[in-house]
Coordinates of all heavy atoms in Angstrom, one line a residue:
M1 N 5.5 2.3 32.1 CA 5.7 1.4 33.2 C 4.4 1.5 34.1 O 3.9 2.6 34.4 CB 6.9 1.8 34.0 CG 7.1 1.1 35.3 SD 8.5 1.5 36.3 CE 9.7 0.6 35.5
W2 N 3.9 0.4 34.5 CA 2.8 0.3 35.4 C 3.3 0.7 36.8 O 4.4 0.2 37.3 CB 2.2 -1.1 35.4 CG 1.5 -1.4 34.2 CD1 2.1 -2.0 33.1 CD2 0.1 -1.2 33.9 NE1 1.1 -2.1 32.1 CE2 -0.1 -1.7 32.5 CE3 -1.0 -0.7 34.6 CZ2 -1.3 -1.6 31.9 CZ3 -2.2 -0.6 33.9 CH2 -2.4 -1.1 32.6
T3 N 2.5 1.4 37.6 CA 2.9 1.8 39.0 C 1.8 1.2 39.9 O 0.6 1.0 39.4 CB 2.9 3.3 39.2 OG1 1.6 3.9 38.9 CG2 4.0 3.9 38.3
E4 N 2.2 0.8 41.1 CA 1.2 0.3 42.1 C 0.9 1.5 43.0 O 1.8 2.1 43.6 CB 1.8 -0.8 42.8 CG 2.0 -2.1 42.0 CD 2.4 -3.3 42.8 OE1 2.1 -3.4 44.0 OE2 3.1 -4.2 42.2
E5 N -0.4 1.7 43.1 CA -0.9 2.9 44.0 C -2.3 2.5 44.5 O -3.2 2.2 43.7 CB -0.9 4.1 43.1 CG -1.3 5.4 43.8 CD -1.4 6.6 43.0 OE1 -0.5 6.7 42.0 OE2 -2.2 7.4 43.1
N6 N -2.5 2.6 45.7 CA -3.8 2.3 46.4 C -4.4 1.0 45.9 O -5.6 1.0 45.5 CB -4.8 3.5 46.1 CG -4.3 4.8 46.6 OD1 -3.7 4.9 47.7 ND2 -4.5 5.9 45.9
N7 N -3.6 0.0 45.9 CA -4.1 -1.4 45.6 C -4.6 -1.4 44.1 O -5.5 -2.2 43.8 CB -5.2 -1.9 46.5 CG -4.6 -2.2 47.9 OD1 -3.5 -2.8 48.0 ND2 -5.4 -1.9 48.9
Q8 N -3.9 -0.7 43.3 CA -4.2 -0.7 41.8 C -3.0 -0.6 41.0 O -2.0 0.1 41.4 CB -5.1 0.5 41.4 CG -6.4 0.5 42.1 CD -7.3 1.8 41.7 OE1 -6.7 2.7 41.1 NE2 -8.5 1.7 42.0
L9 N -3.0 -1.3 39.9 CA -1.9 -1.1 38.9 C -2.4 0.1 38.0 O -3.6 0.0 37.5 CB -1.7 -2.3 38.0 CG -1.0 -3.5 38.6 CD1 -1.0 -4.6 37.6 CD2 0.4 -3.1 39.0
K10 N -1.6 1.1 37.7 CA -2.0 2.2 37.0 C -1.0 2.6 35.9 O 0.2 2.4 36.1 CB -2.1 3.5 37.8 CG -3.2 3.4 38.9 CD -3.4 4.7 39.6 CE -4.6 4.6 40.5 NZ -4.9 5.9 41.1
K11 N -1.5 3.0 34.7 CA -0.7 3.4 33.6 C -1.4 4.4 32.7 O -2.6 4.2 32.5 CB -0.2 2.3 32.8 CG 0.9 2.6 31.8 CD 1.5 1.4 31.2 CE 2.6 1.7 30.2 NZ 3.3 0.5 29.7
T12 N -0.7 5.4 32.2 CA -1.3 6.3 31.2 C -0.7 6.0 29.8 O 0.6 5.9 29.7 CB -1.1 7.8 31.6 OG1 -1.8 8.0 32.9 CG2 -1.6 8.7 30.6
F13 N -1.5 5.9 28.8 CA -1.1 5.7 27.4 C -1.4 7.0 26.7 O -2.5 7.5 26.8 CB -1.7 4.5 26.8 CG -1.4 3.2 27.5 CD1 -2.1 2.8 28.6 CD2 -0.4 2.4 27.0 CE1 -1.8 1.6 29.2 CE2 -0.1 1.2 27.6 CZ -0.8 0.8 28.7
I14 N -0.5 7.5 25.9 CA -0.7 8.7 25.1 C -0.5 8.3 23.6 O 0.5 7.7 23.2 CB 0.2 9.8 25.5 CG1 -0.1 10.2 27.0 CG2 0.0 11.0 24.6 CD1 0.8 11.2 27.6
F15 N -1.4 8.8 22.8 CA -1.4 8.5 21.4 C -1.4 9.8 20.6 O -1.5 10.9 21.1 CB -2.6 7.6 21.0 CG -2.7 6.3 21.7 CD1 -3.3 6.2 23.0 CD2 -2.1 5.2 21.2 CE1 -3.3 5.0 23.7 CE2 -2.0 4.0 21.9 CZ -2.7 3.9 23.1
R16 N -1.3 9.7 19.3 CA -1.2 10.9 18.4 C -2.5 11.6 18.4 O -2.5 12.9 18.2 CB -0.7 10.5 17.0 CG 0.7 10.2 16.9 CD 1.2 10.0 15.5 NE 0.5 8.8 15.0 CZ 0.8 8.2 13.8 NH1 1.7 8.8 13.0 NH2 0.1 7.1 13.4
N17 N -3.6 10.9 18.5 CA -4.9 11.6 18.4 C -6.0 10.7 19.0 O -5.7 9.6 19.5 CB -5.2 11.9 16.9 CG -5.2 10.7 16.0 OD1 -5.7 9.6 16.3 ND2 -4.4 10.8 14.9
F18 N -7.2 11.2 18.9 CA -8.4 10.5 19.5 C -8.6 9.1 18.9 O -8.9 8.1 19.5 CB -9.6 11.4 19.5 CG -10.8 10.7 20.0 CD1 -11.0 10.5 21.3 CD2 -11.8 10.2 19.1 CE1 -12.2 9.8 21.8 CE2 -13.0 9.6 19.6 CZ -13.1 9.4 20.9
V19 N -8.5 9.1 17.5 CA -8.8 7.9 16.8 C -7.9 6.8 17.2 O -8.3 5.6 17.4 CB -8.8 8.1 15.3 CG1 -8.9 6.8 14.5 CG2 -9.9 9.1 14.9
E20 N -6.6 7.1 17.4 CA -5.6 6.1 17.8 C -5.9 5.6 19.2 O -5.8 4.4 19.5 CB -4.2 6.6 17.7 CG -3.7 6.6 16.3 CD -2.2 7.0 16.2 OE1 -1.5 7.0 17.2 OE2 -1.7 7.2 15.1
A21 N -6.3 6.5 20.1 CA -6.6 6.2 21.5 C -7.8 5.3 21.5 O -7.9 4.3 22.2 CB -6.8 7.4 22.3
F22 N -8.8 5.6 20.7 CA -10.1 4.8 20.7 C -9.9 3.5 20.1 O -10.4 2.5 20.6 CB -11.2 5.6 19.9 CG -12.5 5.0 20.2 CD1 -13.3 5.5 21.3 CD2 -13.1 4.0 19.4 CE1 -14.6 4.9 21.5 CE2 -14.3 3.5 19.6 CZ -15.1 4.0 20.7
A23 N -9.0 3.4 19.1 CA -8.7 2.1 18.5 C -8.0 1.2 19.5 O -8.3 0.0 19.6 CB -7.8 2.2 17.3
F24 N -7.1 1.8 20.3 CA -6.4 1.0 21.4 C -7.4 0.5 22.4 O -7.4 -0.6 22.8 CB -5.4 1.9 22.0 CG -4.8 1.4 23.3 CD1 -3.9 0.4 23.3 CD2 -5.1 2.1 24.5 CE1 -3.4 -0.1 24.5 CE2 -4.6 1.6 25.7 CZ -3.7 0.5 25.7
M25 N -8.3 1.4 22.8 CA -9.3 1.0 23.8 C -10.2 -0.2 23.3 O -10.6 -1.1 24.0 CB -10.2 2.2 24.2 CG -9.5 3.2 25.0 SD -10.5 4.7 25.3 CE -11.5 4.0 26.6
T26 N -10.5 -0.1 22.0 CA -11.3 -1.2 21.4 C -10.5 -2.6 21.5 O -11.0 -3.6 21.8 CB -11.6 -0.9 19.9 OG1 -12.4 0.3 19.9 CG2 -12.4 -2.0 19.3
R27 N -9.2 -2.5 21.1 CA -8.4 -3.7 21.3 C -8.3 -4.2 22.7 O -8.4 -5.4 22.9 CB -7.0 -3.5 20.7 CG -6.9 -3.2 19.2 CD -5.5 -3.2 18.6 NE -4.6 -2.2 19.2 CZ -4.5 -0.9 18.9 NH1 -5.2 -0.4 17.9 NH2 -3.7 -0.1 19.5
V28 N -8.2 -3.3 23.6 CA -8.1 -3.7 25.0 C -9.4 -4.3 25.5 O -9.5 -5.3 26.2 CB -7.8 -2.4 25.9 CG1 -7.9 -2.8 27.4 CG2 -6.3 -2.0 25.7
A29 N -10.5 -3.7 25.0 CA -11.9 -4.2 25.4 C -12.0 -5.6 24.9 O -12.6 -6.5 25.7 CB -13.0 -3.3 24.8
L30 N -11.7 -5.9 23.7 CA -11.8 -7.3 23.2 C -10.9 -8.3 24.0 O -11.3 -9.4 24.3 CB -11.5 -7.3 21.7 CG -12.4 -6.5 20.8 CD1 -11.9 -6.4 19.4 CD2 -13.8 -7.2 20.8
T31 N -9.7 -7.9 24.3 CA -8.8 -8.7 25.1 C -9.3 -8.9 26.5 O -9.3 -10.1 27.0 CB -7.4 -8.1 25.1 OG1 -6.9 -8.0 23.7 CG2 -6.4 -8.9 25.9
A32 N -9.8 -7.9 27.1 CA -10.3 -7.9 28.5 C -11.5 -8.9 28.5 O -11.6 -9.7 29.5 CB -10.6 -6.6 29.0
E33 N -12.3 -8.8 27.5 CA -13.5 -9.7 27.5 C -13.1 -11.1 27.4 O -13.7 -12.0 28.1 CB -14.4 -9.3 26.3 CG -15.7 -10.0 26.3 CD -16.6 -9.6 27.5 OE1 -16.4 -8.6 28.2 OE2 -17.6 -10.4 27.7
K34 N -12.1 -11.4 26.6 CA -11.6 -12.8 26.5 C -11.1 -13.3 27.8 O -11.2 -14.5 28.1 CB -10.6 -12.9 25.3 CG -11.2 -12.8 24.0 CD -10.1 -12.9 22.9 CE -10.6 -12.7 21.5 NZ -9.6 -12.6 20.5
M35 N -10.4 -12.4 28.5 CA -9.8 -12.7 29.8 C -10.7 -12.7 30.9 O -10.4 -13.1 32.1 CB -8.6 -11.8 30.0 CG -7.4 -12.0 29.0 SD -6.1 -10.8 29.3 CE -5.2 -11.6 30.6
E36 N -11.9 -12.2 30.7 CA -13.0 -12.0 31.7 C -12.4 -11.2 32.9 O -12.6 -11.5 34.0 CB -13.5 -13.4 32.2 CG -14.2 -14.1 31.1 CD -14.8 -15.5 31.6 OE1 -14.6 -15.8 32.8 OE2 -15.4 -16.1 30.7
H37 N -11.7 -10.1 32.5 CA -11.2 -9.2 33.5 C -11.1 -7.8 32.9 O -10.5 -7.6 31.9 CB -9.8 -9.7 33.9 CG -9.3 -9.0 35.1 ND1 -10.0 -8.9 36.3 CD2 -8.1 -8.3 35.4 CE1 -9.2 -8.3 37.2 NE2 -8.1 -7.9 36.7
H38 N -11.8 -6.9 33.5 CA -12.1 -5.6 32.8 C -11.4 -4.4 33.5 O -11.4 -4.4 34.8 CB -13.6 -5.4 32.7 CG -14.2 -6.5 32.0 ND1 -14.8 -7.6 32.6 CD2 -14.4 -6.8 30.6 CE1 -15.3 -8.4 31.8 NE2 -15.0 -8.0 30.5
P39 N -10.8 -3.5 32.8 CA -10.1 -2.4 33.4 C -11.1 -1.3 33.9 O -12.2 -1.1 33.4 CB -9.3 -1.8 32.2 CG -10.1 -2.2 31.0 CD -10.8 -3.5 31.3
N40 N -10.6 -0.5 34.8 CA -11.2 0.8 35.1 C -10.4 1.8 34.2 O -9.2 1.8 34.2 CB -11.0 1.2 36.5 CG -11.7 0.2 37.4 OD1 -12.9 0.0 37.3 ND2 -11.0 -0.3 38.4
W41 N -11.1 2.6 33.4 CA -10.3 3.5 32.6 C -11.1 4.8 32.2 O -12.3 4.9 32.4 CB -9.9 2.8 31.3 CG -11.0 2.2 30.4 CD1 -12.3 2.3 30.6 CD2 -10.8 1.3 29.3 NE1 -13.0 1.6 29.6 CE2 -12.0 1.0 28.8 CE3 -9.7 0.8 28.7 CZ2 -12.2 0.2 27.7 CZ3 -9.8 0.0 27.6 CH2 -11.1 -0.3 27.1
S42 N -10.3 5.7 31.7 CA -10.9 7.0 31.2 C -10.1 7.4 30.0 O -9.0 7.0 29.8 CB -10.9 8.1 32.3 OG -9.5 8.4 32.6
N43 N -10.8 8.2 29.1 CA -10.1 8.7 27.9 C -10.5 10.1 27.7 O -11.7 10.5 27.8 CB -10.6 7.9 26.7 CG -10.4 8.5 25.4 OD1 -11.3 8.9 24.7 ND2 -9.1 8.7 25.1
V44 N -9.5 11.0 27.5 CA -9.7 12.3 27.1 C -8.7 12.6 25.9 O -7.5 12.4 26.0 CB -9.3 13.3 28.2 CG1 -9.5 14.8 27.7 CG2 -10.2 13.1 29.4
Y45 N -9.3 12.8 24.7 CA -8.7 13.0 23.5 C -7.7 11.9 23.2 O -8.1 10.8 22.8 CB -8.1 14.4 23.4 CG -7.4 14.7 22.0 CD1 -8.2 14.6 20.8 CD2 -6.1 14.9 21.9 CE1 -7.6 14.8 19.6 CE2 -5.5 15.1 20.6 CZ -6.3 15.1 19.5 OH -5.7 15.3 18.3
N46 N -6.4 12.2 23.4 CA -5.4 11.2 23.0 C -4.8 10.4 24.2 O -3.8 9.7 24.0 CB -4.2 11.9 22.2 CG -3.4 12.8 23.1 OD1 -3.9 13.3 24.1 ND2 -2.2 13.0 22.7
K47 N -5.4 10.6 25.3 CA -4.8 10.0 26.6 C -5.8 9.0 27.1 O -7.0 9.2 27.3 CB -4.6 11.1 27.6 CG -3.9 10.6 28.9 CD -3.7 11.7 29.9 CE -2.8 12.8 29.4 NZ -2.6 13.9 30.4
V48 N -5.3 7.8 27.5 CA -6.1 6.7 28.1 C -5.4 6.4 29.4 O -4.3 6.0 29.5 CB -6.1 5.5 27.2 CG1 -6.9 4.4 27.9 CG2 -6.8 5.8 25.8
N49 N -6.2 6.6 30.5 CA -5.7 6.2 31.8 C -6.4 4.9 32.2 O -7.6 4.8 32.1 CB -6.1 7.3 32.8 CG -5.5 8.6 32.6 OD1 -4.2 8.7 32.6 ND2 -6.3 9.6 32.3
I50 N -5.5 3.9 32.6 CA -6.1 2.6 33.0 C -5.6 2.3 34.4 O -4.5 2.5 34.8 CB -5.5 1.5 32.1 CG1 -6.0 1.8 30.6 CG2 -6.0 0.1 32.5 CD1 -5.5 0.8 29.6
S51 N -6.5 1.7 35.2 CA -6.2 1.2 36.5 C -6.8 -0.2 36.6 O -7.9 -0.4 36.1 CB -6.7 2.1 37.7 OG -8.0 2.2 37.7
L52 N -6.1 -1.1 37.2 CA -6.5 -2.5 37.3 C -6.4 -3.0 38.8 O -5.4 -2.7 39.5 CB -5.5 -3.4 36.5 CG -5.4 -3.1 35.0 CD1 -4.3 -3.9 34.4 CD2 -6.7 -3.3 34.3
N53 N -7.4 -3.6 39.2 CA -7.4 -4.4 40.4 C -8.6 -5.5 40.3 O -9.4 -5.4 39.4 CB -7.5 -3.6 41.7 CG -8.8 -2.8 41.9 OD1 -9.8 -3.0 41.1 ND2 -8.8 -1.9 42.8
T54 N -8.5 -6.4 41.2 CA -9.5 -7.5 41.1 C -10.6 -7.3 42.1 O -10.4 -7.5 43.3 CB -8.8 -8.9 41.3 OG1 -7.8 -9.0 40.3 CG2 -9.8 -10.0 41.1
H55 N -11.8 -7.0 41.7 CA -12.9 -6.6 42.5 C -13.3 -7.8 43.4 O -13.5 -7.7 44.6 CB -14.1 -6.1 41.7 CG -13.7 -5.0 40.9 ND1 -13.3 -3.7 41.3 CD2 -13.7 -4.9 39.5 CE1 -13.0 -2.9 40.3 NE2 -13.3 -3.6 39.2
D56 N -13.4 -9.0 42.8 CA -13.9 -10.2 43.6 C -12.9 -10.8 44.5 O -13.1 -11.7 45.2 CB -14.5 -11.2 42.6 CG -13.5 -11.8 41.6 OD1 -12.4 -11.3 41.6 OD2 -13.9 -12.6 40.8
A57 N -11.7 -10.2 44.5 CA -10.6 -10.6 45.5 C -10.4 -9.5 46.6 O -9.5 -9.5 47.3 CB -9.3 -10.8 44.8
G58 N -11.4 -8.6 46.6 CA -11.3 -7.5 47.6 C -10.6 -6.2 47.2 O -10.1 -5.5 48.0
D59 N -10.7 -6.0 45.8 CA -10.1 -4.8 45.3 C -8.6 -4.7 45.5 O -8.1 -3.6 45.9 CB -10.8 -3.5 45.7 CG -12.2 -3.4 45.2 OD1 -12.4 -3.9 44.0 OD2 -13.1 -2.9 45.9
I60 N -7.9 -5.8 45.3 CA -6.4 -5.8 45.4 C -5.8 -6.2 44.0 O -6.5 -6.7 43.2 CB -6.0 -6.8 46.5 CG1 -6.4 -8.2 46.2 CG2 -6.5 -6.3 47.9 CD1 -5.8 -9.3 47.1
I61 N -4.5 -6.0 43.9 CA -3.8 -6.4 42.7 C -3.6 -8.0 42.8 O -3.1 -8.5 43.8 CB -2.5 -5.7 42.6 CG1 -2.7 -4.2 42.5 CG2 -1.7 -6.2 41.4 CD1 -1.5 -3.3 42.6
T62 N -4.0 -8.7 41.7 CA -3.8 -10.1 41.7 C -3.0 -10.5 40.4 O -2.8 -9.6 39.5 CB -5.1 -10.9 41.7 OG1 -5.8 -10.6 40.5 CG2 -5.9 -10.5 43.0
E63 N -2.8 -11.7 40.2 CA -2.1 -12.2 39.0 C -3.0 -11.9 37.7 O -2.4 -11.6 36.7 CB -1.9 -13.7 39.1 CG -1.0 -14.2 38.0 CD 0.4 -13.6 37.9 OE1 0.9 -13.1 38.9 OE2 1.0 -13.6 36.7
K64 N -4.3 -11.9 37.9 CA -5.2 -11.5 36.8 C -4.8 -10.1 36.3 O -4.8 -9.8 35.1 CB -6.7 -11.6 37.2 CG -7.2 -12.9 37.4 CD -8.6 -12.9 38.0 CE -9.6 -12.7 36.9 NZ -11.0 -12.9 37.4
D65 N -4.6 -9.2 37.2 CA -4.2 -7.8 36.8 C -2.9 -7.7 36.1 O -2.8 -7.0 35.1 CB -4.2 -6.9 38.1 CG -5.6 -7.0 38.8 OD1 -6.6 -6.6 38.2 OD2 -5.5 -7.4 40.0
R66 N -2.0 -8.5 36.6 CA -0.6 -8.5 36.0 C -0.7 -9.1 34.6 O 0.0 -8.6 33.7 CB 0.4 -9.2 36.9 CG 0.6 -8.5 38.2 CD 1.7 -9.0 39.1 NE 1.7 -8.5 40.4 CZ 2.0 -7.3 40.8 NH1 2.3 -6.4 39.9 NH2 1.9 -6.9 42.1
K67 N -1.4 -10.1 34.4 CA -1.6 -10.7 33.1 C -2.3 -9.8 32.1 O -1.9 -9.6 31.0 CB -2.3 -12.0 33.2 CG -1.5 -13.1 33.8 CD -2.3 -14.4 33.8 CE -1.5 -15.5 34.4 NZ -2.2 -16.8 34.6
L68 N -3.3 -9.1 32.6 CA -4.0 -8.1 31.7 C -3.1 -6.9 31.4 O -3.1 -6.5 30.3 CB -5.3 -7.6 32.3 CG -6.1 -6.7 31.5 CD1 -6.4 -7.2 30.1 CD2 -7.4 -6.3 32.2
A69 N -2.3 -6.5 32.4 CA -1.4 -5.4 32.1 C -0.4 -5.7 31.1 O -0.1 -4.9 30.2 CB -0.7 -5.0 33.4
A70 N 0.1 -6.9 31.1 CA 1.1 -7.4 30.1 C 0.4 -7.5 28.7 O 1.1 -7.0 27.7 CB 1.7 -8.7 30.5
A71 N -0.8 -7.9 28.7 CA -1.5 -8.0 27.4 C -1.8 -6.6 26.9 O -1.6 -6.4 25.6 CB -2.8 -8.8 27.6
I72 N -2.1 -5.7 27.7 CA -2.4 -4.3 27.3 C -1.1 -3.7 26.8 O -1.1 -3.0 25.7 CB -2.9 -3.5 28.5 CG1 -4.4 -3.9 28.8 CG2 -2.9 -2.0 28.2 CD1 -4.9 -3.4 30.1
D73 N 0.0 -3.9 27.4 CA 1.3 -3.4 26.9 C 1.6 -3.9 25.5 O 2.1 -3.1 24.6 CB 2.5 -3.7 27.8 CG 2.5 -2.9 29.1 OD1 1.9 -1.7 29.1 OD2 3.2 -3.3 30.0
K74 N 1.3 -5.1 25.2 CA 1.5 -5.7 23.9 C 0.6 -5.0 22.9 O 1.0 -4.7 21.7 CB 1.3 -7.2 23.9 CG 2.4 -7.9 24.6 CD 2.1 -9.4 24.5 CE 3.2 -10.2 25.3 NZ 2.9 -11.6 25.4
L75 N -0.6 -4.7 23.3 CA -1.5 -4.0 22.3 C -1.1 -2.6 22.0 O -1.4 -2.0 21.0 CB -2.9 -4.0 23.0 CG -3.6 -5.4 23.1 CD1 -4.9 -5.2 23.9 CD2 -3.8 -6.0 21.8
A76 N -0.4 -1.9 23.0 CA 0.0 -0.6 22.8 C 1.1 -0.4 21.8 O 1.4 0.6 21.3 CB 0.4 0.1 24.1
G77 N 1.8 -1.6 21.6 CA 2.9 -1.6 20.6 C 4.2 -1.1 21.2 O 5.0 -0.4 21.2

């Protein structure tokens, strides 16, 4: 579940290993590029932390963030 914190949507995804986490990040990167909206994220081994907000709207949560969050959830399976 995505949480709202400090004007950001946040979620942590956990995978079985680094390769699965990296493959997920690749899928997210391709989707984000198509949507022209990119996440803030970090990865350590099997964990991917993502936060979303819209920089050109003043670093707040917008519909663009909610749409990307929904697309990311579909990619996570």
Side-chain angles (χ1 to χ4, degrees):
M1 172 182 280
W2 291 88
T3 60
E4 292 189 27
E5 181 182 326
N6 299 324
N7 289 321
Q8 297 179 345
L9 286 178
K10 295 184 174 189
K11 188 170 182 178
T12 298
F13 296 85
I14 299 175
F15 300 91
R16 287 186 294 186
N17 54 48
F18 176 75
V19 172
E20 285 187 9
F22 195 87
F24 167 72
M25 291 178 75
T26 300
R27 293 190 303 274
V28 171
L30 294 170
T31 298
E33 187 66 16
K34 287 179 188 172
M35 296 176 78
E36 296 182 358
H37 193 53
H38 305 93
N40 297 309
W41 58 8
S42 65
N43 164 244
V44 176
Y45 184 59
N46 68 333
K47 188 183 294 185
V48 178
N49 295 301
I50 299 178
S51 62
L52 304 171
N53 65 10
T54 303
H55 306 296
D56 59 0
D59 292 325
I60 62 170
I61 298 168
T62 67
E63 189 61 26
K64 288 173 84 172
D65 303 300
R66 296 189 191 288
K67 286 180 180 178
L68 181 54
I72 290 170
D73 280 342
K74 288 180 183 176
L75 295 171

